Amino acid sequence: MNAPRLQGLKVALVYPPYGPVKNEPGIKTVKENYGIFPSLSLLYVAGILENAGVEVLFLDSHAHEWTLEETVRKLKDFGPDYIGYTITTYLFFQTLDWIKAIKAQVDVPTIVGGVHLSIYPRETLTHESIDFAITGEAEVALPEFLWAHTQKLPLENVKGLAYRVGGPTAEGGRVLVTENADTVDVDLAPFPARHLLDNTIYHSFISKRKNFSCFITSRGCPYKCIFCEQGSKAFRARSPKNAVDELEMSIKEFGIHEMDFFDSSFTIRKERVIAICDEIKRRKLDVIWAARTRVDCITPDVLKAMQQAGCTRIYYGIESGNREILKVLKKSTSLDVIKRVVRDTKSAGIDTFGYFMVGNPYDTPTTVRQTIRLALDLDLDYAQFSKVTPMPATEMYTMLMKQTGRDYWREFVLNPHDDLVPRPHCDMTDEEIQRWTRLAYLRFYYRPSMMKRRLAAVESMDELVRSANTAWKMVADYKLGEDATGMEVVG
Ligand code: B12
Ligand code: SF4
């Protein structure tokens, strides 16, 4: 990758704490108990920087619950030349608060990156506390930017960069966005720098082993579901050897024995998946793992290979129990395929986790009931019900912009606030959607059969406490019997 060497340079990466926001797809109780995950995005950035010779301080203030003061103290002790943050559109205003407060006390250039910057680089750079943005993947762009900036070379030659010229935008300054950086060869990307973390502190609400971490073996997605921006990114997969090398290193060097694979759809290429599984078995890696995929990318031989290689859970994007809505979402699958694949997965000895959405275009209480009914009938081991959030750079968001003539997220980034972005073609109010989502959880998890299953599956005291906590909060927050949807709460 011919990265310029940057020895002597110091960069701190900060992952600020974050909490629920109004546009949050998850309901509060579930969100609060979801677990603590490392920022894979920032770990990639740390790997890229170290590979280029930079000294990196990684501050996961979210996981460690470090206050702003503690974080600033650590930053001052380190004395960085730059501070970097990963940004998501939803959490922009929360992250920005930390960026501003840190900049006021450690005044070095701020660099930001993340998918958000490929969508709203100009709007983001109107905030003076942010100096530079990497607008795409950082593998090439970040070392080139740091080289050019430290050597005082012209920045317009750095691909994949956004920066201000001529002062603050409010006083006539302009934001320049250079041409997109070239696509990265995913097999050449440095591994996430997990050695910079205390890997013992991470867990999910259903993780069973320590240490726990997250992992990705491919980028982008060839499908075009209308609610997801990943379909706009070309699918690029790592070779089985490269992916399993990282897995092996995580086990041997950092004691990681449970991995959550965050590929958009892990099983898109069947032969690659089987090769990864064979490689895990050949190296006798002591790891259990979970992966996300689509029901129409699964076959019995893939399931068998995955189970034999330590896969204990598959997350399926099922989304809705209504055929017409599945078509609107461009899920291009049928209820029959969903039912068959969930059955096959369970027969293969792998737990099933279904993702569902409430508040889709044309959703009504009737279609939401169908969704809840499907989740119950499938007899999934876990289900997640999310309130629809039209995310930027998705077809669903374009629908909303056409319907309303507004670019809500753009306004949100220019003038950060926590107002709700409406949902396109959905007559249900946010309160109704919230209520249905909670009801869906209660219907799903508080059935006697499910409670029995959960208790039987609990492997440690820690896990039991986590589940009981979530369950108690969910019930305590819900006024049983006052629900207006007409569905009983515990079936
Ligand atoms: C793993 C993951 C998580 C994990 C770990 C967090 C993380 N970001 O790693 C968990 C579960 C914690 C999580 C949480 C959330 N996530 Co998330 N997550 C992902 C996922 C699946 C993979 C990220 C990844 O590592 N990709 C691989 C790397 C190589 O790509 P990358 O992340 O784009 O990073 C590259 C560049 O963007 C850039 N870059 C990224 N950050 C930075 C920072 C600097 C300083 C620089 C220079 C460059 C740079 O360089 C990287 C290397 O090339 C992505 C979707 C995806 N497939 O990418 C969503 C995604 C990033 N998440 C998203 C969201 C919305 C969230 C949440 C807000 C969800 C929620 N409701 O709570 C939170 C926010 C947490 C936070 N504070 O960042 C959105 C962001 C959309 C947007 N418009 O901003 C994405 C794109 C998924 C989606 N389509 O909705 N997430
Ligand atoms: S939801 Fe999944 S399958 Fe659909 S575009 Fe996004 S990543 Fe691809």
Side-chain angles (χ1 to χ4, degrees), residues 365-384:
T366 307
T367 61
V368 177
R369 276 168 194 269
Q370 290 172 331
T371 299
I372 300 177
R373 188 75 265 161
L374 178 67
L376 297 174
D377 288 349
L378 286 173
D379 197 27
L380 294 155
D381 297 289
Y382 306 90
Q384 178 172 312

Side-chain angles (χ1 to χ4, degrees), residues 24-31 34 205 353-358 368 372 375-376 382-387 433-447 450-451 470-471 474-475 478 488-491:
E24 173 61 56
I27 64 172
K28 196 164 162 271
T29 316
V30 174
K31 185 80 200 146
Y34 192 66
F205 78 107
F353 189 125
Y355 284 125
F356 298 91
M357 302 199 307
V358 181
V368 177
I372 300 177
L376 297 174
Y382 306 90
Q384 178 172 312
F385 301 90
S386 301
K387 296 181 292 161
I433 289 167
Q434 172 83 11
R435 213 167 47 231
W436 276 104
T437 309
R438 299 177 68 83
L439 180 68
Y441 274 112
L442 288 163
R443 285 279 288 153
F444 187 86
Y445 284 103
Y446 301 107
R447 291 174 280 162
M450 181 53 75
M451 289 166 120
T470 315
M474 182 88 86
V475 174
Y478 198 84
E488 74 277 41
V489 169
V490 181

Side-chain angles (χ1 to χ4, degrees), residues 328-446:
V328 171
L329 298 176
K330 296 199 178 152
K331 258 331 253 195
S332 66
T333 189
S334 71
L335 295 173
D336 290 341
V337 174
I338 295 173
K339 287 177 187 161
R340 178 174 46 76
V341 168
V342 169
R343 226 179 17 245
D344 288 353
T345 310
K346 291 165 80 73
S347 319
I350 299 177
D351 282 352
T352 51
F353 189 125
Y355 284 125
F356 298 91
M357 302 199 307
V358 181
N360 293 300
Y362 313 108
D363 246 347
T364 62
T366 307
T367 61
V368 177
R369 276 168 194 269
Q370 290 172 331
T371 299
I372 300 177
R373 188 75 265 161
L374 178 67
L376 297 174
D377 288 349
L378 286 173
D379 197 27
L380 294 155
D381 297 289
Y382 306 90
Q384 178 172 312
F385 301 90
S386 301
K387 296 181 292 161
V388 165
T389 304
M391 302 208 292
T394 64
E395 193 181 330
M396 189 188 280
Y397 187 58
T398 309
M399 265 181 180
L400 177 71
M401 289 199 291
K402 277 197 191 131
Q403 197 185 339
T404 62
R406 283 178 63 183
D407 186 342
Y408 290 87
W409 289 116
R410 182 170 184 275
E411 294 169 21
F412 172 90
V413 178
L414 285 170
N415 181 18
H417 55 70
D418 191 19
D419 295 348
L420 195 74
V421 173
R423 301 172 176 91
H425 304 295
C426 180
D427 292 335
M428 297 168 79
T429 63
D430 190 54
E431 289 70 33
E432 274 178 277
I433 289 167
Q434 172 83 11
R435 213 167 47 231
W436 276 104
T437 309
R438 299 177 68 83
L439 180 68
Y441 274 112
L442 288 163
R443 285 279 288 153
F444 187 86
Y445 284 103
Y446 301 107

Side-chain angles (χ1 to χ4, degrees), residues 13 15-16 18 24-26 31 34 37-42 44-45 48 83-91 95 111-116 119 133-134 136-139 142 184 214 216 218-220 228-230 233 262-264 391-392:
L13 297 174
Y15 194 52
Y18 58 96
E24 173 61 56
K31 185 80 200 146
Y34 192 66
F37 290 69
S39 170
L40 188 60
S41 309
L42 269 192
Y44 265 106
V45 176
I48 295 163
I83 304 180
Y85 304 83
T86 191
I87 288 189
T88 62
T89 314
Y90 295 153
L91 299 180
T95 314
I111 315 171
V112 297
V115 169
H116 166 84
I119 313 172
I134 297 298
E137 292 176 327
E139 276 77 359
L142 181 59
V184 167
C214 43
I216 203 159
S218 61
R219 302 187 191 182
C228 170
E229 104 298 318
Q230 284 296 308
K233 298 189 167 56
F262 267 94
D263 298 58
S264 301
M391 302 208 292

